Amino acid sequence: MKRPLLSVEKLSIEFGQGSESKRVVDDLSFTLNPSETLCIAGESGSGKSLSALAIMGLLPKMARVPEGVILFHDEDLVGLSERRLQHLRGREIGMIFQEPMTSLNPTMRIGDQMLETVRRHKLATGAGAHKHIRDMLEAVKIPRAGDRVRQYPHELSGGLRQRVMIAMAMLCQPQILIADEPTTALDVTIQAQILDLIRELQAEFKTAVLMITHDMGVVAEMADKVVVMNQGVVEETADIRKIFTSPDAEYTRKLLAAVPRLGTAPTRVPQVFGEPVLEVSNLRVRYPMKSQGLFAPAREVMAVEDISFTLHQGETLGIVGESGCGKSTTGRALMNMVDFEGDVRVMGTNIRGLKGAALKKQRQDIQMVFQDPYAALNPRKNIAELVGEPLLIHRRGTAAERERRVAQLLAQVGLPEADAMTRYPHQFSGGQRQRICIARALALNPRIIVADEPVSALDVSVQAQVLDLLEELQKDYELSYLFISHDMAVVERLCHRVAVMYSGRIMEIGSRDQVLRNPRHPYTKRLLAAVPVPALDRKLTPAPLDETEAPNPIKAKGHVPPAVRYEQPEEGHFVAVSV
Amino acid sequence: MMPIYILRRLGYAVLILLGVSFITYLLLYMIPADPARQLAGRSATAETVANIRAQLGLDLPFYQQYFHYLMNLIQGDLGRSYIQRTEVSALISSRLGPTMELMAWGIGFELLIGVSLGMLAAIKRNTAIDRFLMALSFVGVSSPHFIASMLFLYLFAVNLDWFPLGGYGEFEHVLLPALTLGLLGSGWYSRMVRSSMIEVLEQDFIRTARSKGLTRLRVLFRHVLPNAIVPVIPMIGIDIGIFIGGLVVVESVFGWPGLGQLAWQAIQRVDIPVIVGVTMISAVAIVIANLIADLLVPLVDPRIELDKS
C-alpha cells in the first residue's frame, strides 16, 4: 500500500498549562495523499485553523501539543527543531491565508516578497530568480506580471493579492499546499476563479491540498475527502460522496441542513403588501476626494448613482452585490448618516437634509442592524443599558417602564433569561449579540429595519436561527426590511424582492423569483453562476478571468454619467439597459 | 506633489518662527531681571543704568522694541550680544558645528539604544527581561539631565577614568555627553518601539513571512522592524525640542562649546539678543527635523501619502 504524504495521528492541542489548560483540538487523525484535496470543515471554534498551524509549526506561543504525531514522509513535525521546520516551510509545505488584504507585507514590493522565498530555499539566483517569479505570477494568471513585481500590495485588489499569495506559496512547488479559508474574504465571482486556480495548479504540480473552510459549498466544490470538526473533536471523516449523500454524524447532517442553498427555497405565490413605507427616488451619494494637486480638478467617488426603489409594509427587499457596489452606502444614506441627493421618503416624509429634532424623530421609524455584532455593542455597557438606550435618548417612559420594555424586547428576540439584563456583551455568543442588536433596533417600534449583512459574521447554524427570528418579528409587527447582503442563498431565503447592485447602480430589480430564478441582466447571471452549491456534481464553471474590474468610481466633480434605461420584461421586473 | 508639499510646510514654518520670536521676546520683556543693571554692575549709579538702558533701546515700549528686532531679523540681523559686544549670528555660527556634532551622536545613540532595547523587550514581552527594560526606560525618561550628567561625569570620568572630564576636539570627548543624552532620551523610543513591535508581530503578514520558511532574524529585521518603525519616525521630529532642552544642560555640565552652553551663559546674564537668537535657531531646527521626518515616512511605508495633513 502506498504510504500517505502526510499523516496526522491522534493530534491534540492545548492552551495554557496544568489544570488551567484548555483542550482546543482533541484526537485529530487524518491522512493526505499526493494530488489529493482534503477539506477540514467546521464552524468557528472547531479547531480547524489551529490544526493547520500545527502542521506548519506555527502555533501561537500559548499553545502546545501534548499528544499526537504529524508524520510528513518519515519525519514527525511535532517537536521538530525550528531550523528544520524553517527548511520545510515554504519549500515542502506552502500556506495561504484567509485575509489577502493583510497577509502581505505592506512595506515591501510584491517581487521582493517573492524573491525572499526563492533565495531562502536557493531555488535560483540572479536573472533566473526573477524569471521564476514572473513565470509563477503568470501561472496564477496575474495580468501584466512584469509590472506587478514592482508594485506594493495596496496597489492590488483583494483577488489579485490572493493570487500573489498563491504564487508565493507555490514558488518551490511544495508537496502540500495548506489553504486556510482562502476565499472567505473574497467576492463570489473572485472566489470561483481562485478555487478554479487552486485546482488547476494542483493538477499541474501534483500538489496535495489541505483546505480549511467553514463553507460547505466550497467543500463540495473542492474536496476528495472531508474531515468534519466541531469544538475540537472530529465528528466524521469520509470521502466527499458519503458526506453529502449519507453522512454518519448527526452534526454533519445538522450542518448541511443549516446551509442555505441557492435555488432550494420554495416558489412564492406573489404577495400583496401594504402601503409603501420607504420610497427612494434618484438617490445619489458621492464622497468628495482630495484633489491630486494644486490645480488638478476636484474629484468624487461615485458610491451610489441614481437608484430608485420602493419598500412596502411587511416586505423584505434584498440588496445584493459584491464589495464596493454601493449597497452599504445606500443603507447609510437611508439612515441619514451620509449626505445624499435625491428623495428618500420614510413614511411619506422626505428625510433629505433633516437635522436635530426632526432627524431624531425620523429615526424612530427607521433603525439599523449592523454586520459585526462584536463591534456594534459598547463593551462597557450592560444589556439593559444597551437595549434601553434608544428609549432613553427619545425620552420614552419612566425608568421602571423602560426596564419592562427592555425585558419584553429581550423575550421577543429569544433572550428571556432574567439575568441577561445585567450582563455585558462579552458574556454572549455572536448569535446572541446579534439578537441584542435586533432588540435594540426594535426598541422604538420602528416600521423599517435596515439590516446590513446581519448574518455574515455568524456560523451557519446560528445564521439560520437569526434569519428565523427576523421572519418571525416581521410577521408579528408587519416590519419592513431592507436586507443588504452579498450572500445570494440568504437573500433567496428571506427576501420578497431583490435588487442587484453593481458599480453604484441597480442592474436588476424584481420579485425574488423573477431576479434569482429568471435573471435577465448578464451581471446577475454571472453572480448567480459563481455561488458554490453544497451538493455533489455541481462544480462551478467560473467565467474566464476578465480584468475589467468594476469601472473606476472616481470621477471629476460634477461628472454626469450616462443615464440608465430600464426595460420591463414582466410585471414588476426591471432590468438595466445601457444606452 | 512633493515640491508643493515642501513649499507649504515652509510657509507654515515662517508663521511658526514669527510666533516663537514674539513669545520669546514677550517673556523676556516680562521677567523681572534687568539686563541694564546686569551690565552696569553692582556699584553703578542709577544714572549709569538709565544710560545703558537708553543705549540698548530698552527704555522703549515693548511693541517698538519687538518691531525693531523683527525688522532687523528680516534683514538677517540677529543683533549684538549685550555682554560680548559681537554679532549674535557670529556667536551662533561659531557654536553651531560642535552642537551639530553632539546632536548627531546623541540622537544616534538615542535611536540605537531605544530601538534595540524596544525590540528586545517586544520579543521577550511579559518576561522578566521585558519588565526590567521597561523599568529602566522609565528611569531614563524621568531622570533630570542635570543630575544624570553630573552623576555620569563623577562616575565614569572622575572615578573610573573611562572618559575625559570634559572638553572638545577628540572623538573621546563627545562620547560621554552623547551617551548621557542617548541614554536619557532612549526610554521614550524603547517604549514606543516595544508597543509598535508587539502590534506588528500580531499581524497576518508576519505569519505569512514565517510560513515561507524565513529565519527569525530575517522576519524580525525585514518584516517586523520596517513596519514597526513607521509610527516612530514622526516622533523623532517631535522629540527634537525635548532633546534640545537636554542639550543646554549637558553642554554646560560637560563644558561643550556649543549653542546650549552659549544659551546657558546668556540666560544667566540676561543677554536678550543671544537668548532670542538661540531660541530662533532651535525653532528652525525643530521645524526642519519635523519636515524631514514627515518626508521619510512615505519612503518606509508606501501607503502613506504626503498630502494627508
Side-chain angles (χ1 to χ4, degrees):
Chain A
M1 199 183 109
K2 212 173 66 178
R3 271 206 323 206
L5 185 59
L6 180 81
S7 135
V8 174
E9 287 159 30
K10 298 192 178 311
L11 180 74
S12 301
I13 302 173
E14 279 181 2
F15 274 94
Q17 296 288 331
S19 59
E20 295 279 287
S21 72
K22 187 169 170 264
R23 193 160 276 218
V24 286
V25 173
D26 194 21
D27 200 20
L28 169 69
S29 301
F30 63 82
T31 56
L32 180 67
N33 295 310
S35 303
E36 188 178 53
T37 301
L38 175 83
C39 279
I40 302 183
E43 298 185 290
S44 52
S46 64
K48 55 191 192 300
S49 288
L50 282 169
S51 308
L53 290 174
I55 296 168
M56 292 295 279
L58 288 177
L59 281 174
K61 268 187 189 155
M62 325 275 287
R64 47 190 200 95
V65 178
E67 285 164 55
V69 287
I70 302 171
L71 279 181
F72 175 63
H73 293 294
D74 285 324
E75 229 167 347
D76 183 4
L77 301 182
V78 175
L80 203 61
S81 74
E82 174 66 20
R83 226 183 123 80
R84 180 68 191 146
L85 278 169
Q86 281 171 7
H87 180 77
L88 296 177
R89 281 184 211 135
R91 183 191 182 94
E92 307 292 346
I93 309 176
M95 186 158 181
I96 55 176
F97 301 93
Q98 174 168 357
E99 267 298 338
M101 304 312 267
T102 55
S103 289
L104 289 163
N105 185 343
T107 62
M108 255 175 115
R109 291 175 204 276
I110 303 292
D112 292 338
Q113 299 195 39
M114 295 181 73
L115 209 53
E116 248 184 353
T117 307
V118 175
R119 293 220 171 107
R120 167 71 184 144
H121 298 296
K122 302 193 175 61
L123 277 183
T125 50
H130 289 276
K131 182 169 183 313
H132 186 60
I133 288 169
R134 268 198 312 280
D135 289 348
M136 195 45 83
L137 286 174
E138 272 157 20
V140 298
K141 304 198 186 89
I142 288 184
R144 291 179 288 117
D147 300 336
R148 303 295 183 190
V149 292
R150 282 186 299 277
Q151 283 182 310
Y152 287 96
H154 73 276
E155 298 171 88
L156 269 53
S157 68
L160 281 181
R161 285 191 220 186
Q162 197 61 301
R163 279 170 198 272
V164 169
M165 282 296 292
I166 295 172
M168 204 153 78
M170 294 300 291
L171 275 173
C172 301
Q173 295 169 18
Q175 302 182 45
I176 301 172
L177 176 69
I178 302 177
D180 186 359
E181 303 267 10
T183 55
T184 307
L186 302 173
D187 284 326
V188 279
T189 51
I190 310 293
Q191 163 168 290
Q193 293 168 0
I194 295 286
L195 293 178
D196 192 49
L197 175 69
I198 292 175
R199 264 198 308 253
E200 210 173 286
L201 291 173
Q202 178 177 26
E204 188 179 340
F205 299 116
K206 308 272 180 287
T207 318
V209 174
L210 177 64
M211 192 155 206
I212 316 292
T213 183
H214 73 284
D215 186 336
M216 293 311 274
V218 170
V219 171
E221 185 71 18
M222 300 295 287
D224 299 317
K225 263 191 324 203
V226 186
V227 176
V228 180
M229 286 183 80
N230 176 32
Q231 306 287 325
V233 182
V234 176
E235 294 278 351
E236 180 162 11
T237 306
D239 77 70
I240 175 85
R241 200 149 284 279
K242 182 158 168 46
I243 290 285
F244 281 95
T245 52
S246 55
D248 284 334
E250 180 60 33
Y251 177 78
T252 313
R253 277 196 289 275
K254 261 171 42 194
L255 192 63
L256 283 168
V259 180
R261 289 157 200 241
L262 186 61
T264 57
T267 316
R268 281 216 180 93
V269 275
Q271 268 174 279
V272 182
F273 293 99
E275 293 295 296
V277 287
L278 176 68
E279 294 152 283
V280 176
S281 45
N282 308 100
L283 175 70
R284 172 178 290 167
V285 182
R286 292 182 168 192
Y287 295 114
M289 267 195 78
K290 242 184 144 87
S291 85
Q292 279 184 310
L294 209 48
F295 305 105
R299 297 181 306 162
E300 292 177 315
V301 180
M302 301 197 324
V304 175
E305 198 57 38
D306 198 18
I307 68 171
S308 307
F309 59 84
T310 307
L311 179 68
H312 301 87
Q313 186 166 347
E315 183 187 43
T316 303
L317 172 65
I319 297 192
V320 295
E322 299 188 291
S323 47
C325 73
K327 57 188 191 300
S328 287
T329 304
T330 303
R332 297 170 70 88
L334 302 185
M335 295 301 297
N336 230 334
M337 297 196 293
V338 289
D339 289 336
F340 60 88
E341 291 168 48
D343 287 338
V344 173
R345 291 182 184 277
V346 175
M347 312 301 298
T349 315
N350 195 342
I351 65 164
R352 184 174 163 197
L354 286 189
K355 285 196 175 61
L359 177 64
K360 195 167 139 182
K361 188 164 176 298
Q362 174 253 313
R363 289 223 167 117
Q364 299 178 15
D365 291 328
I366 183 164
Q367 286 283 311
M368 192 154 185
V369 176
F370 299 92
Q371 172 169 3
D372 187 351
Y374 292 85
L377 295 170
N378 183 342
R380 290 175 187 280
K381 291 195 169 181
N382 70 28
I383 303 311
E385 289 170 309
L386 286 166
V387 176
E389 200 167 25
L391 300 169
L392 198 63
I393 291 168
H394 290 268
R395 306 219 169 101
R396 294 273 182 89
T398 63
E401 281 166 2
R402 283 199 296 268
E403 201 182 310
R404 272 201 301 280
R405 173 78 179 129
V406 170
Q408 185 196 359
L409 285 163
L410 288 176
Q412 278 169 7
V413 298
L415 290 171
E417 299 83 5
D419 66 336
M421 308 245 297
T422 53
R423 283 155 73 195
Y424 287 83
H426 71 267
Q427 296 169 295
F428 293 89
S429 69
Q432 288 173 324
R433 284 187 223 200
Q434 199 57 298
R435 284 168 191 270
I436 293 164
C437 292
I438 292 169
R440 177 170 63 181
L442 287 175
L444 296 168
N445 286 318
R447 308 295 292 275
I448 307 159
I449 288 189
V450 176
D452 189 356
E453 303 268 11
V455 296
S456 302
L458 307 176
D459 282 326
V460 279
S461 55
V462 183
Q463 235 179 40
Q465 294 162 13
V466 172
L467 292 175
D468 284 343
L469 173 68
L470 287 172
E471 270 179 337
E472 247 168 65
L473 292 169
Q474 178 164 55
K475 232 173 273 156
D476 293 353
Y477 302 100
E478 288 229 295
L479 286 168
S480 307
Y481 294 136
L482 190 79
F483 191 83
I484 299 166
S485 180
H486 72 283
D487 188 331
M488 304 296 238
V490 167
V491 165
E492 183 191 41
R493 146 123 207 241
L494 195 73
C495 298
H496 303 107
R497 282 197 303 141
V498 176
V500 179
M501 281 188 76
Y502 177 71
S503 190
R505 297 178 184 271
I506 291 179
M507 291 292 122
E508 183 161 4
I509 184 169
S511 76
R512 183 200 72 177
D513 291 347
Q514 285 170 342
V515 175
L516 298 184
R517 304 273 158 85
N518 188 17
R520 300 293 181 111
H521 197 277
Y523 177 72
T524 315
K525 289 179 186 166
R526 216 176 91 195
L527 204 57
L528 287 167
V531 179
V533 183
L536 289 169
D537 308 320
R538 302 220 1 217
K539 298 262 192 268
L540 299 172
T541 42
L545 171 66
D546 69 278
E547 228 216 322
T548 51
E549 287 174 20
N552 186 1
I554 301 168
K555 293 281 184 319
K557 196 172 156 69
H559 171 83
V560 183
V564 168
R565 192 165 57 82
Y566 288 93
E567 266 178 6
Q568 193 175 0
E570 45 198 323
E571 176 68 30
H573 189 180
F574 296 87
V575 183
V577 191
S578 42
V579 278
Chain B
M1 222 29 208
M2 192 150 116
I4 294 173
Y5 176 77
I6 295 176
L7 273 180
R8 205 178 59 216
R9 286 288 297 263
L10 292 178
Y12 292 145
V14 172
L15 291 179
I16 291 168
L17 294 179
L18 201 67
V20 169
S21 71
F22 179 78
I23 291 171
T24 318
Y25 222 87
L26 185 66
L27 286 175
L28 289 171
Y29 181 79
M30 293 197 309
I31 53 165
D34 182 353
R37 177 153 290 287
Q38 285 275 332
L39 274 175
R42 247 176 243 276
S43 54
T45 61
E47 199 186 346
T48 322
V49 175
N51 268 337
I52 293 174
R53 190 172 292 137
Q55 220 179 11
L56 298 177
L58 292 172
D59 53 344
L60 297 172
F62 169 73
Y63 68 89
Q64 280 190 18
Q65 284 187 42
Y66 178 64
F67 184 73
H68 192 67
Y69 180 81
L70 212 56
M71 284 300 112
N72 287 334
L73 187 66
I74 288 166
Q75 294 161 37
D77 182 4
L78 287 168
R80 279 170 170 275
S81 160
Y82 293 161
I83 317 286
Q84 307 194 40
R85 295 269 154 210
T86 43
E87 290 284 336
V88 172
S89 47
L91 278 174
I92 287 178
S93 58
S94 71
R95 303 280 189 132
L96 203 57
T99 288
M100 300 269 267
E101 187 186 340
L102 182 56
M103 271 180 88
W105 282 102
I107 293 172
F109 280 133
E110 191 173 71
L111 289 176
L112 189 72
I113 298 167
V115 173
S116 18
L117 293 190
M119 279 175 79
L120 188 61
I123 301 164
K124 302 276 178 197
R125 62 187 173 282
N126 304 326
T127 65
I129 297 174
D130 177 25
R131 279 188 284 275
F132 171 74
L133 288 177
M134 286 305 102
L136 198 70
S137 78
F138 193 68
V139 173
V141 275
S142 27
S143 315
H145 281 83
F146 67 95
I147 291 181
S149 310
M150 295 213 252
L151 205 68
F152 287 169
L153 193 66
Y154 179 72
L155 199 67
F156 297 118
V158 178
N159 271 6
L160 295 169
D161 199 24
W162 291 352
F163 301 98
L165 266 174
Y168 172 71
E170 302 296 319
F171 173 63
E172 52 179 17
H173 291 121
V174 79
L175 271 177
L176 192 54
L179 274 170
T180 308
L181 284 166
L183 277 171
L184 295 189
S186 66
W188 249 73
Y189 291 102
S190 62
R191 289 184 160 250
M192 247 182 323
V193 169
R194 176 184 179 272
S195 62
S196 177
M197 287 266 294
I198 288 175
E199 208 172 290
V200 175
L201 279 166
E202 303 291 318
Q203 301 284 314
D204 289 346
F205 61 82
I206 299 304
R207 195 179 50 189
T208 306
R210 293 192 64 201
S211 79
K212 298 198 287 191
L214 302 180
T215 59
R216 283 184 194 277
L217 273 184
R218 170 104 193 161
V219 173
L220 200 60
F221 282 96
R222 194 67 187 84
H223 292 269
V224 184
L225 191 59
N227 284 285
I229 211 77
V230 170
V232 178
I233 296 170
M235 290 300 152
I236 303 173
I238 291 165
D239 180 48
I240 290 289
I242 300 163
F243 186 85
I244 289 175
L247 200 66
V248 171
V249 177
V250 171
E251 280 192 3
S252 306
V253 172
F254 287 93
W256 188 262
L259 282 173
Q261 198 190 37
L262 180 69
W264 184 247
Q265 288 161 356
I267 290 166
Q268 282 175 321
R269 299 161 80 170
V270 207
D271 196 347
I272 291 175
V274 178
I275 299 176
V276 182
V278 174
T279 310
M280 295 297 285
I281 287 297
S282 310
V284 170
I286 293 169
V287 165
I288 291 175
N290 273 294
L291 180 59
I292 292 174
D294 289 349
L295 290 177
L296 279 176
V297 171
L299 296 184
V300 184
D301 190 341
R303 287 171 301 176
I304 294 170
E305 287 170 34
L306 279 180
D307 218 26
K308 303 269 161 58
S309 52

